[in-house]
Amino acid sequence: MYDLFIGDRLFSSWSLRGWLMLEKFALPHQVHMIGLYSGTMAEDMKSLAPARLVPTLRTPEGTVIGESLAMAETLAERHTEAGLWPQDAAARATARWLCAEMVGGFMDLRADCSMQLRHIWQGFEPSNGVKRDLARIETLWAHARATRTVDGPYLFGDYSLADVFYTPVAARIIGYDLPVEAENRTYCKTLLADPAVQNWRREALKHTYDPMPYDLDLPSRNWDVS
């Protein structure tokens, strides 16, 4: 049984990634909440030192792993039968590239469009930096589809860690109604309509906040990924 430490379901994009790595590949785990917005985060994570961010993973043997890419590679190494990475070598290398660029990039999108799973903002005007990030994301997604050897609704045909890492990106695109090509909007909705993501969102909406993080003075409409 893995122990996964997360900070929040409604807003923590990295927590969602960590959970999907385990949930979508049927790896046994239990979730522990860290006080990301309550001010208790440092205290809650003392036993995981020197890890200091969420998500953090603890293996059944007691090894603590911080950083999402390290978690992903460790799980893929430990569970080769689960298919976390694409089977084809070229697709697998490309998927690793896309995940690494996601971890280190898209700073304007992250800064201007914090992940939120509450509703869809209306009238949000993306900056030029956000538009550049979206163009780069669409380029990478097109390259993934050109590289894959398996047909399917996901970046490399079958679901993989690449889809895990881009699910919060999809939430930003849909949640702020950002401009992307129709094929990519469909892909985003496919990721967000996944039963696991829907279950995560239902749990997220049970939590209340005062004040509400990342609120905008904009109208909104109901979350709809159908």
Side-chain angles (χ1 to χ4, degrees):
M1 179 74 70
Y2 291 96
D3 290 296
L4 178 69
F5 299 83
I6 65 172
D8 178 79
R9 287 187 173 90
L10 198 59
F11 300 106
S12 179
S13 59
W14 293 105
S15 294
L16 174 56
R17 288 184 182 95
W19 182 75
L20 285 172
M21 292 180 203
L22 297 158
E23 183 72 15
K24 285 294 294 177
F25 297 98
L27 304 181
H29 62 279
Q30 54 186 354
V31 172
H32 307 271
M33 300 301 297
I34 296 296
L36 184 60
Y37 294 110
S38 64
T40 64
M41 185 172 181
E43 182 66 26
D44 292 345
M45 294 196 71
K46 275 186 175 179
S47 65
L48 304 170
R52 58 188 180 88
L53 300 172
V54 290
T56 293
L57 184 71
R58 188 166 59 208
T59 70
E61 298 79 18
T63 301
V64 174
I65 307 162
E67 299 296 334
S68 296
L69 272 179
M71 291 169 52
E73 289 290 8
T74 299
L75 292 172
E77 180 182 67
R78 289 169 63 97
H79 302 278
T80 56
E81 77 293 344
L84 278 78
W85 291 118
Q87 185 173 9
D88 176 75
R92 186 165 62 251
T94 305
R96 285 191 168 107
W97 165 15
L98 263 65
C99 290
E101 186 158 340
M102 192 276 114
V103 169
F106 316 137
M107 294 304 182
D108 287 293
L109 178 64
R110 292 190 203 180
D112 292 2
C113 305
S114 297
M115 191 191 82
Q116 58 83 29
L117 304 175
R118 294 165 58 205
H119 47 229
I120 299 174
W121 291 114
Q122 293 185 290
F124 179 83
E125 291 293 337
S127 67
N128 288 334
V130 170
K131 291 176 181 178
R132 284 192 295 271
D133 283 348
L134 291 172
R136 178 60 180 170
I137 289 164
E138 293 199 276
T139 295
L140 291 173
W141 289 357
H143 181 62
R145 295 183 185 111
T147 305
R148 70 189 186 188
T149 58
V150 177
D151 289 332
Y154 302 108
L155 287 178
F156 295 92
D158 294 331
Y159 192 90
S160 75
L161 285 169
D163 305 296
V164 167
F165 274 74
Y166 280 90
T167 294
V169 173
R172 287 174 161 98
I173 289 171
I174 296 302
Y176 291 79
D177 198 19
L178 299 176
V180 294
E181 294 183 3
E183 181 179 22
N184 292 325
R185 185 167 296 277
T186 297
Y187 168 63
C188 290
K189 289 187 173 184
T190 297
L191 292 180
L192 299 176
D194 184 276
V197 177
Q198 290 293 298
N199 287 339
W200 172 275
R201 181 174 180 267
R202 278 192 288 271
E203 288 299 310
L205 293 173
K206 294 177 182 179
H207 190 76
T208 58
Y209 303 82
D210 185 21
M212 182 65 70
Y214 315 117
D215 216 10
L216 297 177
D217 186 20
L218 288 174
S220 64
R221 59 184 173 86
N222 290 339
W223 184 266
D224 180 11
V225 293
S226 58

